Amino acid sequence: MVIEVKEKGSDAFYKEVVNVVMQYRRILKNHAYKIKDCFKYYRVLLAVCAVAMVLLILSAVFLGPKTLDIVLIVLALFEIILCGVYLRSLDRYYKTIKNDPRTSVVTFDENGVELKKGDDQVLRIGWSNVAVVRSLPESVDILSADQTGMAIAITKDYREQILSWLKENQPQVEVI
């Protein structure tokens, strides 16, 4: 079966792909792992740290600075910087995959699944190396059993076609 994907996915699709890739190792440990929204999680953490830092600064100003206050302010600032850097890297990855203009061709055969992006990039995962096929709200993700983080994500528009092919051809893969 060959699927040629010419259209762009939705914003939700690309965010879901980023979340899957960022939580790849957890999914390998527990194939049914519930995918969390990393974007939301780190934004909330950033806001909580910022509020905590403001409260610590106000406490130090009005009650007098103590060594513990200074240490906690520095730690909160460090956490804010880490969350900001991580959010920026998530956003960069999201924009990179979203703005990729190449057409994708996904081929399913008896040996495995192959993703070809344009004429210059090919990713092939053999069925013996597929850890799990996850059917998520916005995508169908095929994850390699290797710790490398290789995953092939296809929009939900092709879900029925993929799942029926897997059912008919019965490669020995877990579908969740």
Side-chain angles (χ1 to χ4, degrees):
M1 173 177 73
V2 177
I3 299 172
E4 187 172 357
V5 182
K6 292 181 180 177
E7 69 278 353
K8 296 298 266 178
S10 65
D11 287 343
F13 166 74
Y14 292 111
K15 285 189 177 184
E16 187 172 85
V17 170
V18 171
N19 286 317
V20 166
V21 170
M22 292 301 152
Q23 298 167 62
Y24 188 85
R25 290 185 183 196
R26 289 184 179 143
I27 298 169
L28 286 184
K29 289 181 183 175
N30 175 9
H31 294 172
Y33 178 79
K34 186 175 187 235
I35 308 297
K36 294 174 178 56
D37 184 356
C38 291
F39 293 93
K40 180 180 176 184
Y41 176 80
Y42 283 100
R43 282 190 188 103
V44 168
L45 187 58
L46 184 68
V48 167
C49 287
V51 168
M53 190 169 113
V54 168
L55 291 174
L56 288 166
I57 291 171
L58 290 174
S59 171
V61 168
F62 291 115
L63 301 175
K66 297 179 181 81
T67 305
L68 182 60
D69 292 337
I70 303 300
V71 169
L72 291 176
I73 289 169
V74 169
L75 288 174
L77 179 62
F78 182 68
E79 183 68 26
I80 288 169
I81 291 169
L82 285 177
C83 286
V85 168
Y86 195 72
L87 269 171
R88 188 165 182 230
S89 70
L90 287 175
D91 193 52
R92 246 194 242 146
Y93 183 52
Y94 164 77
K95 286 178 182 174
T96 299
I97 62 174
K98 183 179 178 188
N99 294 328
D100 188 353
R102 299 175 293 179
T103 299
S104 299
V105 177
V106 183
T107 306
F108 291 81
D109 59 28
E110 64 278 349
N111 298 320
V113 61
E114 177 180 278
L115 169 66
K116 186 175 182 184
K117 290 277 217 176
D119 291 328
D120 55 353
Q121 184 181 20
V122 176
L123 170 63
R124 181 160 188 75
I125 305 173
W127 291 123
S128 62
N129 195 34
V130 171
V132 65
V133 176
R134 291 286 304 261
S135 179
L136 298 169
E138 296 295 324
S139 66
V140 175
D141 300 283
I142 301 160
L143 283 75
S144 170
D146 295 337
Q147 295 287 327
T148 56
M150 291 192 317
I152 296 174
I154 304 124
T155 64
K156 66 181 177 182
D157 302 336
Y158 302 98
R159 180 186 329 274
E160 294 305 318
Q161 194 176 352
I162 293 166
L163 295 179
S164 67
W165 188 92
L166 290 172
K167 191 174 186 177
E168 287 173 20
N169 295 286
Q170 297 185 357
Q172 297 299 318
V173 295
E174 181 181 10
V175 178
I176 296 178

